[in-house]
Amino acid sequence: MSTGAWIAVAAIVIALAFGLFRLLTDGHFRGTKELAVSDEPHAVPEPRAWDAVTDALHERDAERGERATLVQFSSAFCAPCRATRRILGEVAEIVPGVVHIEIDAEHHLDLVRRLDILRTPTTLVLDGAGAEVARATGAPRKEQVLSAIPTYDLES
């Protein structure tokens, strides 16, 4: 085989491997890192994700869910963001105490950096106190969202 054919084969293999990786990881919720608790008496605690969201949006009276808040980071031309918006909206309608908030990542770059959002859509699941308990990049399925909500059983 010629050099060009080998390059084409290598490119196809790399593209297939990347596509498989994205298929296996997109939309899956993973837990967030536990914040280290300092023994120092004057240590400043890390702000909760909800505090960062309300600071960035300048909305101190923004509605937070009693059970969970689904915070979605989207961008204008993101097709998976529209599917994620629909799914999270449906979950917020059927599960009591759950609220869905969508944030335009392009207009809130400081918040995106502060919360380490790397791509859209990214969904954060915040518990009733406003702490991040899970996050997913890519479009999640409804079952994945339901299972990520604290104290929600898929059987209910």
Side-chain angles (χ1 to χ4, degrees), residues 6 20 31 33 35 54 63 74 79 92 99 107-109 124 131-132 138 141 149 151 153-154:
W6 281 111
L20 181 62
K33 296 180 235 173
L35 295 176
T54 56
E63 183 182 3
S74 301
V99 173
H107 291 102
H108 295 92
L109 291 177
L124 305 181
E132 181 181 336
R141 293 188 320 271
I149 294 174
T151 67
D153 184 13
L154 282 174

Side-chain angles (χ1 to χ4, degrees), residues 67-68 91 94-96 98 142-156:
R67 179 179 285 167
V91 169
I94 63 173
V95 180
V98 173
K142 187 186 282 189
E143 301 81 34
Q144 293 170 320
V145 177
L146 291 171
S147 66
I149 294 174
T151 67
Y152 185 76
D153 184 13
L154 282 174
E155 307 300 320
S156 32

Side-chain angles (χ1 to χ4, degrees), residues 72 74-87 102 121:
Q72 174 189 351
S74 301
S75 53
F77 299 104
C78 168
C81 294
R82 290 188 289 273
T84 302
R85 178 185 313 120
R86 183 184 50 78
I87 290 168
E102 186 173 6

Side-chain angles (χ1 to χ4, degrees), residues 50-143:
W50 178 253
D51 296 334
V53 168
T54 56
D55 286 349
L57 298 179
H58 306 294
E59 297 179 21
R60 289 286 178 195
D61 299 327
E63 183 182 3
R64 183 174 71 203
E66 290 178 23
R67 179 179 285 167
T69 305
L70 306 173
V71 181
Q72 174 189 351
F73 287 87
S74 301
S75 53
F77 299 104
C78 168
C81 294
R82 290 188 289 273
T84 302
R85 178 185 313 120
R86 183 184 50 78
I87 290 168
L88 298 180
E90 288 174 6
V91 169
E93 286 178 12
I94 63 173
V95 180
V98 173
V99 173
H100 171 229
I101 297 173
E102 186 173 6
I103 298 173
D104 185 347
E106 297 171 38
H107 291 102
H108 295 92
L109 291 177
D110 288 339
L111 179 61
V112 165
R113 288 183 192 105
R114 187 172 175 185
L115 295 177
D116 198 28
I117 306 299
L118 301 178
R119 57 181 271 231
T120 58
T122 294
T123 303
L124 305 181
V125 179
L126 309 181
D127 64 10
E132 181 181 336
V133 294
R135 81 169 45 200
T137 55
R141 293 188 320 271
K142 187 186 282 189
E143 301 81 34

